């Protein structure tokens, strides 16, 4: 069956959130972010924002409204699913077509994706890197939306992340996405994620929900602002649990600093499904119409 408008809105929310975070992606200095002049969302990447601050500037040449490599990773899965079903060969071909030599993606390529390219070229299965970071989750929203099975989810994760921690944290993210796509409330969806997690992950995710009313910037500073999933997914859960709107969730995610683009794919899909998508932010995404039309191919 084709995607519903509700599902398309949720998926587009992931792109919107990613593009909104791009300008301050991987700036780890939350105090610097709070003191910047001008809007934080859809900020043009500028090395001056990173000067003398903890962080790494990797999006030189990008402009406001473009996607990061995480958004591109989700787009790769959307294109791989154009037949309506998951096929590993198609996913690997689209990964190479985007990130491989001469690929359409022009920008930073992270460790997991670089490892996947090597694994695919070597015809290795699983092809992914031994990496526990967020590329494991970037492909999930569209695959969950079309009804991907647990086996397909596991396989897709292993294409980029052949790592037990990545597989373990993909389970609660998948369960939460399934629940919110199924019409459950945000609280119910996040609780479903906790219920599906292995004990170690469940404990930290449950704690994140219990601390939903705490300051998310401080929480991220305590747990960690970086890319590994034991840090990034609990921070995403905590931000979502305390959010009051789509813009509130994404603004908080930006201010939480660190790998905000990585967290944004999950946060954006969940927040858009729950709160709806603000039109002004949707229109700020570059090539948004083309991105939306790709959903039609599913």
């Amino acid at each position: 069956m084709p995607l519903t408008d509700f599902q398309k809105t949720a998926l587009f929310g992931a792109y919107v959130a990613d593009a909104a975070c791009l300008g301050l992606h991987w700036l780890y200095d939350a105090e610097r972010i709070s003191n910047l002049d001008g809007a934080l969302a859809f900020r043009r990447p500028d090395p001056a924002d990173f000067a003398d601050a903890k962080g790494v500037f990797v999006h030189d040449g990008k402009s406001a409204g473009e996607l990061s490599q995480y958004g591109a990773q989700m787009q790769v899965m959307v294109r791989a699913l154009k037949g309506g079903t998951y096929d590993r060969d198609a996913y690997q071909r689209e990964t190479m077509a985007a990130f491989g030599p001469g690929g359409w993606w022009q920008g930073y390529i992270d460790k997991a994706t670089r490892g996947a390219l090597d694994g695919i070229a070597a015809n290795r299965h699983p092809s992914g890197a031994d990496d526990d970071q967020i590329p494991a989750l970037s492909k999930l929203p569209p695959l969950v939306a079309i009804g991907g099975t647990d086996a397909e989810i596991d396989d897709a994760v292993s294409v980029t992340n052949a790592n037990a921690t990545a597989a373990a944290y993909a389970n609660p993210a998948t369960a939460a996405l399934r629940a919110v796509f199924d019409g459950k409330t945000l609280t119910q969806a996040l609780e479903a994620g906790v219920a599906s997690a292995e004990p170690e992950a469940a404990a930290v995710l449950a704690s994140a929900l219990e601390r939903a009313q705490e300051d998310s910037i401080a929480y991220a500073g305590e747990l960690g602002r970086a890319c590994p999933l034991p840090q990034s997914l609990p921070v995403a859960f905590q931000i979502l649990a305390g959010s009051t709107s789509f813009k509130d969730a994404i603004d908080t995610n930006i201010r939480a600093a660190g790998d905000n683009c990585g967290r944004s794919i999950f946060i954006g899909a969940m927040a858009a499904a729950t709160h709806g998508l603000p039109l002004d932010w949707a229109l700020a995404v570059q090539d948004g119409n083309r991105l939306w039309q790709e959903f039609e191919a599913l």
Side-chain angles (χ1 to χ4, degrees):
M1 293 179 64
L3 296 179
T4 65
D5 285 344
F6 169 71
Q7 290 173 318
K8 293 174 193 173
T9 298
L11 295 181
F12 199 74
Y15 286 146
V16 173
D18 179 59
C21 294
L22 180 72
L24 298 172
H25 182 212
W26 278 328
L27 177 54
Y28 278 80
D29 190 332
E31 184 176 1
R32 165 67 65 83
I33 292 174
S34 70
N35 290 329
L36 288 172
D37 294 328
L40 300 180
F42 297 100
R43 191 180 186 92
R44 181 180 64 83
D46 184 348
D49 288 339
F50 289 69
D52 300 319
K54 183 181 179 182
V56 55
F57 182 72
V58 301
H59 298 302
D60 193 24
K62 294 290 183 186
S63 57
E66 288 192 69
L67 300 178
S68 78
Q69 81 276 10
Y70 293 112
Q73 289 162 9
M74 189 180 108
Q75 189 179 3
V76 163
M77 178 58 82
V78 170
R79 292 183 175 186
L81 295 173
K82 60 189 174 185
T85 58
Y86 173 74
D87 176 80
R88 183 199 306 152
D89 290 342
Y91 180 34
Q92 291 179 325
R93 284 195 302 271
E94 292 292 346
T95 298
M96 292 296 290
F99 296 106
W104 56 260
W105 169 251
Q106 300 295 307
Y108 180 80
I109 299 178
D110 51 48
K111 175 185 173 183
T113 305
R114 292 196 305 270
L117 295 175
D118 291 341
I120 294 167
N123 199 30
R124 186 171 65 236
H125 180 69
S127 56
D130 183 8
D131 183 88
D132 67 352
Q133 299 180 86
I134 307 182
L137 306 188
S138 300
K139 80 284 303 282
L140 292 186
L143 183 53
V144 171
I146 68 153
T149 65
D150 289 344
E152 290 169 339
I153 297 290
D154 290 344
D155 189 88
V157 169
S158 75
V159 168
T160 56
N161 299 71
N163 176 275
T165 300
Y169 276 84
N171 290 334
T174 296
L177 286 164
R178 281 175 175 160
V180 82
F181 286 159
D182 219 21
K184 298 295 192 296
T185 67
L186 183 57
T187 298
Q188 290 170 334
L190 294 173
E191 289 174 346
V194 173
S196 74
E198 296 177 6
E200 184 175 349
V204 69
L205 292 172
S207 176
L209 299 189
E210 291 168 358
R211 299 176 64 178
Q213 301 310 311
E214 296 182 20
D215 178 74
S216 295
I217 290 82
Y219 177 80
E222 173 189 332
L223 192 66
R225 308 183 195 277
C227 319
L229 288 164
Q231 298 178 36
S232 55
L233 191 61
V235 171
F237 267 53
Q238 197 270 350
I239 289 171
L240 282 165
S243 66
T244 57
S245 68
F246 182 88
K247 287 187 177 182
D248 174 56
I250 306 313
D251 181 72
T252 301
N253 183 43
I254 295 171
R255 292 176 182 276
D259 197 5
N260 42 31
C261 276
R263 298 187 300 262
S264 72
I265 299 296
F266 178 76
I267 291 175
M270 296 287 290
T274 301
H275 301 298
L277 195 56
L279 182 59
D280 57 338
W281 278 24
L283 292 174
V285 177
Q286 289 197 25
D287 294 325
N289 183 63
R290 177 177 55 82
L291 293 170
W292 182 273
Q293 290 302 316
E294 288 185 348
F295 297 151
E296 302 292 338
L298 278 73

